[in-house]
Amino acid sequence: MSQLFSTIALRGLTLPNRIVVSPLCQFSAVEGTAQPWHWQHVGGFAVSGAGLVIMEATGVSDIGRITPGCLGLYSDANEAALTKLRSDIGTYSDTPIGIQLCHAGRKASNRPTWDLHKGNVLPIAEGGWDVEGPSAQAYADGWPVPLALDAAGLAKVLHQFVESTRRADRCGFDLIEIHAAHGYLLHEFLSPLTNHRTDRYGGSAEARMQFPLEVARAMRAAWPEHKPMGVRITGEDWNDGGITLADAVMHAQAFADIGIDYITPSAGNIAPGMKLPQVGPGYMAGFAERIKREVGITTMAVGMIITPQQAEDLIATGTCDIACIGRGFMDDPRWGWHAAAALGVEPIIPKQCIRATPKHWPAYPMVHGGKLREGEGIMSHATRE
Ligand SMILES: Cc1cc2nc3c(=O)[nH]c(=O)nc-3n(C[C@H](O)[C@H](O)[C@H](O)COP(=O)(O)O)c2cc1C
């Protein structure tokens, strides 16, 4: 019995298996609005055999987007496009679709990855914008100094997270993930490297958690009771003086206490000078393991989960509850089908594609390795269209 292919309940949502497509920025929206690219990107993952697809970091305001090409959920046009996308996908797939809501804080107004050779920062002259954050400290030399959010600014940003939450519900999304990692606004509040506030939102580890917790609490109240909400946090800043795994456990506990359903610990990117550890298969899974063990909350492990057996072992050993996979799915948008075949499980596969499964296609092992099992490869010749 595969553990990876066992179901898991997150509140009122039961995932058919424990494979999740990690949020993947596409930098292909126009004024925050989804484009045809998103239909194929998310639509493809919705027939990938995954148990859940989480859409990319989606800005709760225009200036909260990482780049001008990032999705947003702050305008009626943004909402209309995502409503259509969600309902179109629902006509052919039962796969739950979640959305990650984000404010990029001082790391907003960047260029898409394919333009990074011109520098990270998108200048205002080229369509960039003024950025905001917990403190008036730039990410690095040459980056914009953010406007330090005052009480009115904090109230505005909290309201934007809540409004986007309501929009996400109207769009028909099944789950929300709050982005509090990778050096974006909520992470900037949590980390001592970026939060230099002297009001009640800074000064101690508890105070630095206050704004992210207020946002999460308000979002939770605006999101239907039966729908799950998770948070992507940082497991380690990997910078001297930054967030450690012990801090991350405390953050996870605080989010769990206010009704957050799962935690995905990622890491890094809060400030230059990051001391990246050895990166290899499952290199961040230890964060999920400790948070799961000490907090008891459902965890998703992310970071170079590559093979089906590796994902299976992570679940079977209790390291995490869910395997979250990014680049593996970009490389192979049928990853879930292939994992099912490798682990001897019936894939969730659209009827239109059944003839490419091991059962009906003798070439399967030639493409993906392994051996056909008894009763597989029965259609040796495509006898009709
Ligand atoms: C193209 C690309 C876009 C990404 N966009 C996001 C994002 O929108 N939100 C997020 O939290 N992480 C984002 N990530 C990080 C991935 O979700 C994932 O955590 C990371 O790639 C490690 O997992 P992997 O080794 O399975 O790819 C992105 C990564 C890539 C490669």
Side-chain angles (χ1 to χ4, degrees), residues 22-25 57 100 179 182 232 302-304 325-327 330:
S22 201
L24 294 163
C25 286
Q100 188 185 53
H179 202 342
H182 302 172
R232 178 171 284 219
V302 72
M304 283 184 68
I325 299 168
R327 289 163 293 183
M330 278 206 288

Side-chain angles (χ1 to χ4, degrees), residues 18-26 41-42 45 48 50-57 98-100 177 179 182 232 262 264-266 284 300-305 322-330:
R18 294 159 183 252
I19 303 168
V20 170
V21 181
S22 201
L24 294 163
C25 286
Q26 298 297 292
H41 173 72
V42 190
F45 291 146
S48 67
L52 169 71
V53 179
I54 306 180
M55 283 191 67
E56 67 189 80
I99 188 163
Q100 188 185 53
E177 179 169 289
H179 202 342
H182 302 172
R232 178 171 284 219
Y262 74 87
T264 309
S266 184
M284 295 190 286
M300 294 192 192
V302 72
M304 283 184 68
I305 300 174
I322 295 170
C324 190
I325 299 168
R327 289 163 293 183
F329 267 97
M330 278 206 288

